[in-house]
Structure formats: C-alpha cells, structure tokens
C-alpha cells in the first residue's frame, strides 16, 4: 500500500491522496481508482501495465495520446453531439512531466482521467442498454474515422489475428498436451472443427476487401461508461489495445460480449446463448453512426466477424488453459477452460442462428 501511495502521489500535482482502491475486472492490467482532495478533479485511474502482454508500454502510451488528443479535437468541434457529453480518458502527466513512472521494482505505471458520474456493467440488462453500448462503439469509430491508422504503432503484434492464435495453440498443444477431461475434449474437437474457417478476415484483408483503420481492440460491455442519471453512453475506456486493425474485430468483440446475457465469467457454460434481440439493438446503436463510414463489403463480413471473435476468444482462453494460465489472470487452474467453453458455446449459438443474424445485419430496424 505504501508503494501504491507513493506511485499515486507522483501523479498528484495538486492536493492529497485520500483513497486508493482496486477498480474494475480487467484480465490483464492492475487498475486502481484514486481519490484526491484539493485537486481540480476528484478522481483518477492509476494502472500498472502487464509487461507480459504489453512489451513496449511506451508505444501504448504514444497511441493513447494520439487517440485521446484526436478525439478531444473532434469533440471540441461538436461538444454535445447526439445531445450528450462523450469522453475518452486523457493521459495525466507525472510530476517529472512524463506520461508514466517506473517504480523501484521496474513496474510501468500511468494515470488517466476518470469519467465522473458514470458506471459500467459486466453484462447488458436490456435492449436500451444494448443500444447505448452499440452507440458508444459507433461514436468511438466515428471520432477516429478521420485518423489514419499509419499514425498508430502496432503495440500488440498479432492481436486479433486468428491464424496466429491457431499456430500458437498448435505449439502449446504439442509442448504441453491436454489433460483429458470431457470439457477439454470438447474444446479440442471444437477447435478442430473450426480451424479451416479461421483466416476469413485475414484473407479478406489480404485480398484488399477489408482495410485497416484505428480500432479500439477491446470494446467489451464493461469498457463502455453510462451516465448514472440518464443511462446514456458517455464514454469508452480501456484504450491500451487501440492500434491499427479492422473495425470488424471491434464489432465482433463488442457483440460477442454484449449479446451473451450470462456474461463471459458464468460457470453455467451449457446455458450460454447469443441473444439476437440484443444484437439488433446494439447494431441499431452502432449503425446510427457507422452507416456513414462502412462500405458494402464491410457489411458482407459482419456475420463472420461476430462468429469469429467469439471463437477467437475461446481459442485464446483454451490455449492459455493448456499453457498453464500465463496470459489471462486466473482465479483457479480451470478458470480459463471454463471461460473458453463459454465462448465456444456462444459461437455455436451464433452459428445456429446464422440466417436470422444475417437478416438483422441487413436491416436492424
Ligand atoms: C482482456 O484485460 P481486459 O479484461 O481489459 C483481453 C481482451 C479480451 C478480454 C476478455 C490485451 O481484456 O482481448 O477480450 O480480456 N485484453 C488483452 O475479457 O489481451
Ligand atoms: Mg482491455
């Protein structure tokens, strides 16, 4: 705690730190909410980046600053667009003027502004909430639609490239094997049955059908902040994965997260299903802004994106289980296996509703 306080004080240019508490449910970084007395803003977010995931944290900070500055410029031109405030976190500087500090143990810390009077949820409650979560991603993409991805660094090479995750899975399986269990066998069969289709978005990109844009990289439900009074989406947080990519990764990831009412941490994986009415509402919210920048070909890959991102996350969790839980924080040895089964069940549910989802994508009204 003393060390945490010392780090927090480095980012407190004015006032006194009153409280530091763990915040959110991130699977990768350590996140704290700091309360300050006597400063212009009463809270800020303090994070320790996970060095096993973010190998070049200074590049992560570079992307964050480019994106948040760009968004701030755009928002200044239309502050109340859509009749609401909208924010993304700003990078806060430390006392020495830098955008991070390295503690005596070598950890990389940075601070971000906190979006006040707003909250996040791990799962979607109803279609109104779904529309807002979709709107947030649409607003985020729209704010970045005039930023060239060439300005952003590739901070996570291979992130969301499913063929690469499959190659890694093959290596891990060859090295560690899989302890036999009905659940692990289901996972092995599931990957085997889906692997041929996994390069679909990468193939489309190589053919010039899809193009790179700035992406959020992790637009899950609990990265959208909703105004506590109105329930309107007022911010998009967790910008560490912002980098050049496909908006399809974001759309697929947002939908696989939002349309799973039991949530990605449920223990009841057999009951998991993809809820089409939540998908319709999320797409309504998203497309209310994204219609302006999506092409016909972009639409043609939306169904595949939803299916693929659920499969991909299942594959990532399953591989991490086989590797001994080295990437995602896990509370017990089978945690990542349970998470994988949730995503594989969700993929199955998406596949069983292919025709209905295709119709919703074509006309989400
Ligand atoms: C990780 O750390 P967190 O929870 O924001 C992961 C995402 C996954 C997500 C699943 C850098 O995000 O890709 O979708 O877990 N982030 C990284 O909950 O791998
Ligand atoms: Mg994240």
């Amino acid at each position: 705690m003393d060390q945490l306080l010392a780090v927090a004080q480095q980012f407190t240019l004015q006032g006194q730190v009153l409280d530091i508490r763990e915040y959110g449910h991130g699977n990768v970084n350590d996140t704290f909410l700091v309360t300050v007395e006597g400063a212009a803003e009463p809270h800020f977010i303090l994070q320790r980046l996970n060095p096993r995931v973010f190998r070049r944290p200074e590049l992560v900070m570079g992307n964050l600053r480019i994106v948040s500055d760009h968004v701030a410029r755009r928002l200044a031109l239309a502050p109340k667009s859509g009749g609401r405030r909208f924010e993304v976190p700003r990078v806060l500087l430390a006392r020495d003027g830098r955008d991070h500090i390295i503690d005596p143990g070598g950890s990389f810390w940075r601070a971000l502004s906190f979006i006040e009077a707003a909250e996040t949820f791990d799962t979607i409650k109803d279609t109104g909430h779904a529309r807002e979560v979709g709107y947030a991603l649409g607003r985020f993409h729209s704010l970045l639609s005039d930023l060239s991805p060439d300005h952003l660094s590739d901070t996570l090479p291979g992130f969301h490239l499913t063929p690469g995750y499959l190659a890694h899975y093959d290596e891990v399986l060859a090295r560690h094997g899989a302890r036999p269990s009905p659940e692990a066998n289901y996972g092995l069969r599931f990957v085997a049955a889906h692997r041929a289709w996994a390069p679909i978005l990468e193939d489309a990109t190589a053919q010039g059908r899809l193009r790179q844009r700035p992406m959020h990289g992790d637009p899950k439900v609990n990265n959208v902040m909703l105004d506590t009074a109105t329930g309107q989406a007022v911010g998009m947080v967790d910008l560490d994965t912002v980098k050049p990519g496909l908006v399809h990764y974001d759309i697929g990831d947002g939908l696989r997260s939002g349309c799973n009412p039991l949530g990605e941490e449920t223990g009841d994986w057999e009951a998991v299903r993809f809820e089409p009415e939540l998908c319709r509402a999320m797409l309504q919210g998203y497309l209310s802004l994204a219609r302006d920048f999506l092409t016909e070909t972009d639409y043609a890959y939306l169904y595949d994106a939803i299916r693929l991102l659920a499969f991909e996350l299942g594959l990532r969790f399953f591989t991490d289980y086989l590797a001994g839980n080295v990437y995602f924080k896990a509370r017990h040895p089978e945690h990542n296996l349970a998470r994988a089964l949730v995503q594989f069940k969700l993929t199955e549910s998406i596949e069983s509703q292919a025709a209905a989802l295709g119709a919703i994508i074509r006309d989400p009204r």
Side-chain angles (χ1 to χ4, degrees), residues 106-128:
S107 288
F108 188 102
W109 294 86
R110 60 91 195 279
L112 302 170
S113 64
F114 181 67
I115 302 177
E116 296 287 347
E119 57 193 333
T120 63
F121 299 91
D122 287 332
T123 54
I124 284 189
K125 305 183 292 256
D126 52 35
T127 51

Side-chain angles (χ1 to χ4, degrees), residues 26-29 54 216-218 220 223 237-241:
N27 292 332
V28 171
N29 295 325
F54 298 105
H216 181 283
D218 188 15
K220 55 182 179 179
N223 283 333
V237 299
D238 191 7
L239 307 185
D240 292 316
T241 47

Side-chain angles (χ1 to χ4, degrees), residues 3 8 50 74 99-100 115-116 118 120 125 132 152 161 171 175 190 197 210 214 227 254 261 316 318 333 351-352 356:
Q3 206 215 331
N50 181 332
R74 286 280 308 270
D99 60 16
H100 65 274
I115 302 177
E116 296 287 347
T120 63
K125 305 183 292 256
E132 288 302 315
L152 301 175
L161 305 187
E171 275 167 37
R175 195 165 353 117
F190 200 86
W197 149 85
L210 299 178
D227 187 287
R316 294 173 64 199
F318 190 45
E351 291 167 344
S352 73

